[in-house]
C-alpha cells in the first residue's frame, strides 16, 4: 500500500508505518505536482495546507487507487468530503488527539488578553515601559461562553472551571446529560451573558459566519472573543469594526479566513493576540495524532 504524507507527520508515525510494511512517501507536492502523484497512492494524509478539491479527487479517480484520505487534525473544511464519499473514497480525521492542546491554547489567549501580555511583549521590545497602561484583571469569577461543546469545548470548560471561571455553553446538539457541572444556554443568551466567548465549531461554508455584525451587537460591551477553531466562523470585517468601536475589548485569534493571512489590520491591532494556527502544535498532540493515523490505516479495509 502506498501512503503519501503530503504535509508532514511525527517521525514515529513514519517509522511505525514502515515497520508495518507500508510504502511511505513523506514529501510535499504542490498543487500541480499532486495531481500526478495522487494517481499512484492508496492513502493520502494531509493537514490544513493541502486542499483536497473536486479537481484533485477527479485526478485520483482516473486510476481508482486512492481509497482513503486522512486529515491529521480535527477540521475537514480543506477536503471536499461529500465528493470524496460519493466516489467511494473514505475520509477520516483525528478528532481526539489534539483536544487538550487546542484547549490549552484557548486558555493561553484568555490569560494573555486579561493581563495585556500580547501587547506589552511588543512594546517592551520597542524600548517602552508602559506599566501604567497595562492594568489587567483576574479571570476568576468571569463568565466564559463556549460555542460548541465537543471534545475541545469540554476540555476548555474543565480548565476554565479550575481557574474559577463560570462556564456556560451552547451546542447545536443541545444540552449534554454527561456534563452536569456546566450550564447549557441558548445561543443568544450566551452572547448576552459572556465576558469571554470562545468558539469550537467546524466551518460550514453553506451556513456562513457563526459570529458577525448581528451577533456582536448582542454581546456585552467589552467582551473578549477567542477563535482557535476555523477562520470562517468569525467575520474578520465585523470583528475589526467591533474592536475599533470598543464593543470588543480584545480578541485571541489562531485561525484566519485566508491562511497565511494578509489581513494586516487585524494582525497589527493592539487589542488582538495572534498565533499562526498552532492549536495542535504540541509534541504531545502530534504524537497522539500520528498514532491515531496509524490505527486508522492498519484497521482500514481496502
Amino acid at each position: 500500500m502506498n501512503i503519501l504524507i503530503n504535509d508532514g507527520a511525527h517521525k514515529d508515525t513514519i517509522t511505525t508505518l514502515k515497520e508495518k510494511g507500508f510504502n511511505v512517501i513523506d514529501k510535499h507536492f504542490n498543487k500541480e505536482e499532486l495531481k500526478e502523484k495522487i494517481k499512484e497512492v492508496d492513502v493520502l494524509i494531509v493537514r490544513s495546507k493541502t486542499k483536497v478539491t473536486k479537481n484533485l479527487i477527479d485526478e485520483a479517480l482516473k486510476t481508482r487507487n486512492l481509497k482513503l484520505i486522512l486529515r491529521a487534525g480535527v477540521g475537514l473544511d480543506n477536503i471536499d468530503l461529500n465528493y470524496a464519499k460519493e466516489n467511494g473514497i473514505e475520509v477520516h480525521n483525528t478528532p481526539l488527539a489534539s483536544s487538550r492542546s487546542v484547549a490549552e491554547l484557548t486558555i493561553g489567549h484568555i490569560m494573555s488578553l486579561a493581563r495585556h501580555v500580547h501587547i506589552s511583549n511588543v512594546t517592551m521590545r520597542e524600548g517602552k515601559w508602559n506599566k501604567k497602561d497595562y492594568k489587567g484583571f483576574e479571570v476568576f469569577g468571569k463568565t466564559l461562553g463556549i460555542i460548541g461543546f465537543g471534545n475541545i469545548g469540554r476540555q476548555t470548560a474543565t480548565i476554565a472551571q479550575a481557574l474559577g471561571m463560570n462556564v456556560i455553553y451552547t451546542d447545536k446538539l443541545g444540552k449534554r446529560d454527561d456534563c452536569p457541572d456546566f450550564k447549557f444556554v441558548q445561543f443568544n443568551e450566551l452572547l448576552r451573558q459572556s465576558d469571554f466567548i470562545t468558539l469550537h465549531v467546524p466551518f460550514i461554508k453553506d451556513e456562513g459566519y457563526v459570529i458577525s455584525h448581528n451577533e456582536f451587537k448582542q454581546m456585552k460591551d467589552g467582551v473578549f472573543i477567542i477563535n482557535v477553531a476555523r477562520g470562517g466562523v468569525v467575520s474578520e470585517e465585523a470583528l475589526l469594526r467591533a474592536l475599533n468601536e470598543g464593543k470588543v475589548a480584545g480578541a485571541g485569534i489562531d485561525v484566519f479566513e485566508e491562511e497565511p493571512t494578509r489581513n494586516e489590520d487585524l494582525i497589527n491591532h493592539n487589542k488582538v493576540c495572534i498565533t499562526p494556527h498552532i492549536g495542535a502544535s504540541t509534541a504531545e498532540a502530534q504524537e497522539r495524532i500520528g498514532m491515531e493515523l496509524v490505527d486508522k490505516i492498519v484497521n482500514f479495509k481496502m
Side-chain angles (χ1 to χ4, degrees):
M1 184 189 296
N2 294 322
I3 301 171
L4 172 58
I5 303 176
N6 207 53
D7 295 335
H10 192 279
K11 65 182 189 308
D12 290 348
T13 307
I14 299 168
T15 299
T16 303
L17 287 171
K18 288 181 177 179
E19 289 175 348
K20 292 183 178 295
F22 298 109
N23 179 39
V24 180
I25 307 161
D26 179 28
K27 179 181 177 182
H28 180 76
F29 294 88
N30 65 32
K31 183 179 179 180
E32 292 305 314
E33 294 170 335
L34 190 55
K35 287 181 179 178
E36 292 303 314
K37 197 64 181 178
I38 197 73
K39 300 171 185 176
E40 304 173 14
V41 301
D42 304 284
V43 179
L44 173 65
I45 300 175
V46 300
R47 295 184 185 276
S48 57
K49 184 175 182 180
T50 298
K51 311 302 179 187
V52 187
T53 62
K54 177 180 180 297
N55 289 338
L56 182 61
I57 293 170
D58 282 338
E59 293 299 319
L61 293 174
K62 291 179 180 180
T63 58
R64 294 282 175 178
N65 287 323
L66 185 65
K67 301 294 190 301
L68 176 64
I69 300 170
L70 292 173
R71 166 72 163 88
V74 179
L76 291 169
D77 49 285
N78 60 316
I79 301 171
D80 194 327
L81 179 63
N82 292 332
Y83 192 68
K85 289 186 174 181
E86 287 171 6
N87 286 279
I89 301 171
E90 287 197 30
V91 181
H92 297 286
N93 59 357
T94 56
L96 302 177
S98 60
S99 297
R100 179 71 188 194
S101 295
V102 177
E104 288 188 3
L105 181 64
T106 300
I107 300 298
H109 275 289
I110 290 173
M111 300 301 292
S112 180
L113 290 164
R115 298 306 303 271
H116 303 284
V117 175
H118 66 294
I119 190 64
S120 61
N121 184 274
V122 173
T123 55
M124 281 198 70
R125 292 173 190 272
E126 295 172 345
K128 301 174 183 177
W129 188 263
N130 297 341
K131 179 177 179 178
K132 293 183 179 179
D133 294 340
Y134 301 134
K135 184 179 181 181
F137 59 87
E138 297 176 358
V139 300
F140 185 91
K142 303 301 186 294
T143 296
L144 173 64
I146 300 177
I147 300 174
F149 216 57
N151 296 315
I152 298 172
R154 297 197 302 277
Q155 288 267 11
T156 301
T158 300
I159 302 171
Q161 187 181 62
L163 291 171
M165 301 187 79
N166 301 316
V167 178
I168 59 176
Y169 74 93
T170 193
D171 192 283
K172 283 188 173 182
L173 298 178
K175 182 179 180 180
R176 294 187 61 104
D177 293 333
D178 58 343
C179 299
D181 293 338
F182 307 111
K183 182 181 178 182
F184 172 81
V185 297
Q186 297 299 324
F187 179 71
N188 291 339
E189 186 178 351
L190 182 141
L191 297 180
R192 293 191 294 268
Q193 290 187 18
S194 301
D195 300 303
F196 287 86
I197 295 174
T198 180
L199 298 97
H200 300 288
V201 293
F203 170 59
I204 302 174
K205 187 175 181 179
D206 293 340
E207 296 183 7
Y209 300 120
V210 177
I211 301 292
S212 191
H213 295 286
N214 183 57
E215 287 72 31
F216 281 120
K217 290 177 182 177
Q218 299 179 58
M219 296 177 191
K220 287 183 179 181
D221 291 340
V223 69
F224 291 83
I225 303 296
I226 312 295
N227 183 15
V228 298
R230 283 293 179 269
V233 302
V234 176
S235 166
E236 292 180 3
E237 187 270 331
L239 174 59
L240 274 168
R241 180 184 294 182
L243 286 163
N244 291 332
E245 292 177 350
K247 182 69 176 182
V248 173
I253 307 296
D254 184 54
V255 289
F256 302 85
E257 291 186 38
E258 178 186 13
E259 294 187 358
T261 183
R262 287 183 260 182
N263 191 338
E264 294 187 4
D265 290 337
L266 184 62
I267 63 176
N268 291 320
H269 203 290
N270 63 4
K271 295 180 181 178
V272 176
C273 179
I274 52 169
T275 46
H277 203 150
I278 60 169
S281 296
T282 64
E284 295 87 351
Q286 292 308 307
E287 186 174 357
R288 289 192 297 265
I289 286 171
M291 291 303 100
E292 195 168 341
L293 291 171
V294 170
D295 287 342
K296 289 181 183 296
I297 292 171
V298 170
N299 294 319
F300 181 68
K301 307 298 183 183
M302 291 295 290

